[in-house]
Amino acid sequence: MTANALETGARSPYAMAELGEQIALGKANKAVSKTLLLAIMAGMMISLAGVFYTTVSAGAGDMPYGMAKLIGGITFSMGLMAVVLCGGDLFTSSTLIAIPAASGKVSIPQMLKNWGVVYVGNLIGSLMIVWMIVYTDQWHGGHGEIGHSALYIANAKLSHSFGQALVLGILCNLMVCMAVWMSYSARAASGKMLAMVLPVAMFIAAGFEHSIANMYLLPVGLAIKSVAAPEFWAEIGKTPEYFSNITLDNILWMNLLPVTIGNIIGGSILIGLFNWGVFLKKH
C-alpha cells in the first residue's frame, strides 16, 4: 500500500477508537467558558437543522409517509455535520466522554460536570433559535403550513409514555453516536459528512428521540400554540385542543427527562463503552 493510500484511506476501527478517546478527552479538559460557548453554538446548529426539517416537512401530507420522513431526515443531518466539522459541543455526542472515563483519564465528576455544562449550553442555544423563529413569524410561511408542521411534530413527540420515550432516546443516541463514530473513519470533510447522513436520516425517519433536537422542536411548538391568532388556526383547519399533548409539563417530564436518560445510555454504553471494551481496554 502506498503512503498516499495510507493518508487518504479510511481509518481502522482500532484507530477510530483511539481518535474517539482523544477527542472525548479534549472535550473533557476544555475550560468551562469555552465548553459553554461551543455548546451554545451546537444548540443553535441543531435547532437550525430543526428549522430546516420543519420547513421541508411542511405541506408533505400528500407525499408517501416514508419518503417525507427520509427527506426530512436527510435535511436534519445538516445539524450534526455542522457540529462535528465546526467543533461544537453537543450533549448527545459528549456522552462518549465515558470512554476516557473508563480508561481512568477523566474522573466521573469531571465527566458529569462537562455533561451538565454542555446540556445547559445546548438549551440556551436552542431557545435562542426558538425566540428568533417565533419573533420573526417564520412559522406563518406556506399559508401556516410551517407552523402546522411544527405543531404536528411536537404533538407526536409528546404522545409517548415515559418508558417509550426512554427507549426511543436509547435508539436515537445509538444512531447519533454511531454517525459521529463513523465520521472518525474519514480523513476528509466530505467523507465525514457522508458518513453522518444516513444514521441521522434513519433516526429521524424512525421517530427516535433526541434530547437536544427536542429542545427546539418542542418549545417552538409550545410557543406557536401559545401565540397563534384565530386566523392561523382557521388557516390550518385545526384548533389548539387538537394539539393537547403540547404542554410544558409534558415537555419536561414526559420527554426531555426520559429522552435524556435514554440518550446517555445509548451513547455512553452502547457506543462508548462497547467500543472501549473491544478496542481500548487493557486486558
Side-chain angles (χ1 to χ4, degrees):
M1 185 178 292
T2 65
N4 187 57
L6 286 171
E7 291 174 2
T8 60
R11 291 185 177 90
S12 69
Y14 179 81
M16 290 163 60
E18 288 188 319
L19 177 60
E21 183 176 52
Q22 291 170 14
I23 291 173
L25 187 60
K27 288 179 177 292
N29 288 330
K30 277 201 304 285
V32 170
S33 58
K34 290 185 178 180
T35 297
L36 182 63
L37 290 174
L38 288 170
I40 292 172
M41 182 176 74
M44 295 174 68
M45 291 170 176
I46 294 297
S47 295
L48 289 170
V51 176
F52 197 8
Y53 166 49
T54 304
T55 304
V56 168
S57 300
D62 295 332
M63 184 180 292
Y65 178 83
M67 289 304 299
K69 288 292 187 180
L70 174 62
I71 294 170
I74 291 172
T75 59
F76 191 83
S77 68
M78 176 198 79
L80 190 60
M81 291 180 193
V83 169
V84 170
L85 295 181
C86 297
D89 277 346
L90 183 65
F91 171 75
T92 44
S93 55
S94 290
T95 58
L96 294 174
I97 293 175
I99 296 172
S103 296
K105 299 176 181 178
V106 171
S107 68
I108 298 300
Q110 187 180 2
M111 177 182 73
L112 295 177
K113 178 181 178 181
N114 176 273
W115 288 359
V117 172
V118 172
Y119 197 84
V120 170
N122 288 169
L123 178 62
I124 293 170
S126 299
L127 294 180
M128 287 169 61
I129 300 299
V130 170
W131 180 83
M132 293 179 196
I133 293 300
V134 175
Y135 176 75
T136 57
D137 285 339
Q138 186 267 353
W139 52 280
H140 280 295
H143 302 288
E145 283 299 325
I146 293 177
H148 189 189
S149 174
L151 287 165
Y152 176 85
I153 291 168
N155 201 57
K157 285 181 168 292
L158 293 168
S159 66
H160 307 302
S161 69
F162 188 99
Q164 289 172 332
L166 189 149
V167 174
L168 290 170
I170 294 173
L171 289 167
C172 175
N173 214 25
L174 174 62
M175 298 309 300
V176 171
C177 286
M178 183 186 297
V180 172
W181 200 263
M182 288 167 60
S183 76
Y184 296 157
S185 71
R187 301 173 190 273
S190 57
K192 291 180 180 295
M193 294 168 69
L194 185 60
M196 289 183 276
V197 174
L198 291 183
V200 173
M202 186 274 169
F203 96 71
I204 290 290
F208 299 160
E209 295 291 336
H210 188 275
S211 57
I212 310 308
N214 290 354
M215 288 177 180
Y216 169 78
L217 294 169
L218 300 183
V220 80
L222 180 62
I224 292 169
K225 181 184 175 184
S226 301
V227 305
E231 294 79 13
F232 168 78
W233 298 110
E235 197 168 36
I236 68 171
K238 296 288 194 309
T239 65
E241 290 70 29
Y242 185 86
F243 302 100
S244 59
N245 290 332
I246 306 176
T247 66
L248 182 59
D249 279 351
N250 278 348
I251 290 173
L252 294 176
W253 309 119
M254 296 302 291
N255 189 276
L256 286 183
L257 176 59
V259 169
T260 299
I261 295 170
N263 287 170
I264 290 171
I265 295 170
S268 65
I269 298 176
L270 298 187
I271 296 295
L273 295 185
F274 276 31
N275 278 286
W276 171 80
V278 172
F279 299 110
L280 299 174
K281 182 179 180 182
K282 306 302 182 184
H283 296 283

